[in-house]
Amino acid sequence: MAISAAAAAAAALSFPRALPSPLQPRRHRHRRRSAEPPACAHSERGVTFDPGSAFYRSDSAAGRDLAVLAATLHRRAAGPSAPFLCLDAMCGCGVRALRYLAQVGADFVWANDASEALRPVIVGNLSRFERAPDRRWAVSHLDATRLLSERYLRREYFDVIDVDSFGGDAAYIRAALLALRIGGLLYLTSTDWRSARGYGSRRWCCTGSCYSGISHYSIDPDSITVVGPLWTGPLHDTTFLTEMLSLATEWGWANTIENGVSLEKLLDTMIEESDSRLPPGYIRLDEIASRAKVNSPPLGTLINSLRKEGYAACRSHIGANAIKTNCPIECCLDVAQEIRNLR
Ligand SMILES: C[S@@+](CC[C@H](N)C(=O)[O-])C[C@H]1O[C@@H](n2cnc3c(N)ncnc32)[C@H](O)[C@@H]1O
């Protein structure tokens, strides 16, 4: 990072009083904190950290991988002219903040979690990456909306804002967009994303700024459920996802299976889901089978048959037992029966 650019940015930024302005060139080196590996070490793509007492799910690691890939592409596109600033609004133990520092190469990361009790674990984790003089971070314990609104009021804008909440993120979107640099990347995930999809189960989802929509719900013809707001356009940006896959391949992340997830498979599925002919929502295979009164057809066979009939069809990255298709449900039942030789 060019010192002059950092100093210019620092003039426009103010940070928690207890901390020096993080983008200011440092006259005195801070006392280094221990670089000892944590007592209870977890590792994600080679970055070790201690989850401590924070809420941490190892099976959400793929979501964090995608965040790192997207932020890295965004950083590359932004170029080196200005410091690259990330804000992790609900950081838990700080694993994302850590990965933005270590893997994205962010110039500054703001790690926030409402729980002050997590401070030692967050600081402990981030301290291990304080070695390079141009890598800086701050930790705070504010409500996410307050933090984001304050950044906006102080005209402190971030290139990446990450909000990983329990339940829906909808309440934070407005404040996050206000604190986001124009053209920045907003990454929303939800541990229990009931509100993001309207209702449902525990999964994660990602929403890049204009890259992906909140459009995952199961089509159940028997029940009318009010959901929304609902993005009805293409689910993802194919070009961006293809670049994420190339980067994952470049870094050797694509083919390794971590926590049961292959990034290559996941991103390939998401690329297929980007077909603009596909409507929002997905259909569960067991729903088709029970309505067609047949055993569940093999997923791949059903997709191929639907494609042969001229429909768009693909797997859903949300459920292993679901498809996305523009084929009307009645035709899906016919196709399922044909596969089982009942027609
Ligand atoms: C799903 S966990 C975060 C997990 C973490 N991002 C990760 O990847 O491991 C949500 C975190 O948000 C914090 N939290 C809950 N409500 C908050 C709020 N309104 N503002 C800031 N943090 C909040 C909780 O203390 C919790 O640590």
Side-chain angles (χ1 to χ4, degrees):
M1 174 179 62
I3 292 297
S4 57
L13 291 170
S14 62
F15 289 84
R17 238 178 284 155
L19 295 159
S21 179
L23 298 178
Q24 213 55 275
R26 280 185 282 182
R27 281 197 204 111
H28 310 290
R29 283 191 88 74
H30 287 284
R31 185 171 56 86
R32 274 187 197 157
R33 294 184 179 91
S34 165
E36 295 290 309
C40 168
H42 281 241
S43 175
E44 283 187 12
R45 303 286 183 197
V47 172
T48 55
F49 57 94
D50 178 6
S53 59
F55 177 90
Y56 167 75
R57 278 165 58 107
S58 57
D59 56 2
S60 301
R64 289 183 283 273
D65 286 348
L66 296 183
V68 168
L69 293 170
T72 302
L73 290 175
H74 188 55
R75 181 171 182 240
R76 287 182 182 178
S81 57
F84 193 78
L85 313 178
C86 299
L87 187 154
D88 184 357
M90 299 197 186
C91 71
C93 67
V95 56
R96 286 157 189 262
L98 193 56
R99 294 187 64 177
Y100 286 131
L101 282 169
Q103 295 170 328
V104 178
D107 296 300
F108 174 73
V109 172
W110 191 312
N112 177 74
D113 195 283
S115 169
E116 208 150 353
L118 294 179
R119 185 168 192 86
V121 72
I122 301 167
V123 169
N125 283 326
L126 295 182
S127 294
R128 287 190 298 282
F129 281 85
E130 211 189 14
R131 293 190 163 184
D134 55 354
R135 299 284 167 82
R136 308 293 308 279
W137 46 267
V139 177
S140 63
H141 301 286
L142 297 170
D143 168 69
T145 303
R146 176 180 288 274
L147 173 74
L148 293 164
S149 305
E150 281 180 5
R151 305 287 60 78
Y152 165 70
L153 290 172
R154 294 183 189 182
R155 298 175 198 274
E156 298 168 2
Y157 303 112
F158 287 77
D159 298 277
V160 174
I161 294 182
D162 184 318
V163 187
D164 177 28
S165 66
F166 296 131
D169 291 307
Y172 305 101
I173 291 176
R174 185 175 165 79
L177 286 173
L178 288 173
L180 194 66
R181 198 169 266 174
I182 290 172
L185 182 75
L186 174 58
Y187 195 83
L188 301 175
T189 45
S190 180
T191 292
D192 175 346
W193 68 336
R194 225 163 278 264
S195 312
R197 64 184 281 197
Y199 63 96
S201 57
R202 291 158 64 91
R203 298 289 299 187
W204 54 265
C205 77
C206 72
T207 307
S209 62
C210 309
Y211 295 130
S212 166
I214 297 167
S215 174
H216 308 297
Y217 64 92
S218 167
I219 297 166
D220 178 353
D222 266 352
S223 70
I224 295 177
T225 308
V226 177
V227 295
L230 196 67
W231 172 260
T232 57
L235 198 51
H236 317 285
D237 181 309
T238 317
T239 310
F240 194 71
L241 286 180
T242 307
E243 286 172 15
M244 284 172 73
L245 182 53
S246 303
L247 184 58
T249 307
E250 182 188 318
W251 284 356
W253 290 9
N255 292 313
T256 55
I257 296 183
E258 300 226 340
N259 295 303
V261 178
S262 148
L263 278 187
E264 185 175 43
K265 252 177 142 177
L266 175 62
L267 285 164
D268 274 340
T269 304
M270 291 169 75
I271 287 167
E272 288 197 342
E273 285 177 326
S274 316
D275 187 332
S276 59
R277 293 171 299 165
L278 290 169
Y282 59 81
I283 308 178
R284 289 200 330 262
L285 221 57
D286 54 313
E287 186 63 38
I288 295 174
S290 96
R291 284 171 181 281
K293 299 196 178 4
V294 294
N295 288 333
S296 269
L299 197 99
T301 311
L302 180 63
I303 289 172
N304 286 339
S305 301
L306 291 171
R307 286 177 179 167
K308 272 187 204 145
E309 297 287 327
Y311 295 107
C314 69
R315 291 170 189 269
S316 161
H317 83 275
I318 294 302
N321 189 34
I323 60 163
K324 285 178 70 67
T325 181
N326 58 355
C327 175
I329 184 83
E330 299 77 21
C331 295
C332 284
L333 305 187
D334 291 347
V335 172
Q337 287 178 339
E338 269 165 32
I339 291 171
R340 292 299 185 194
N341 296 319
L342 289 183
R343 290 180 73 88

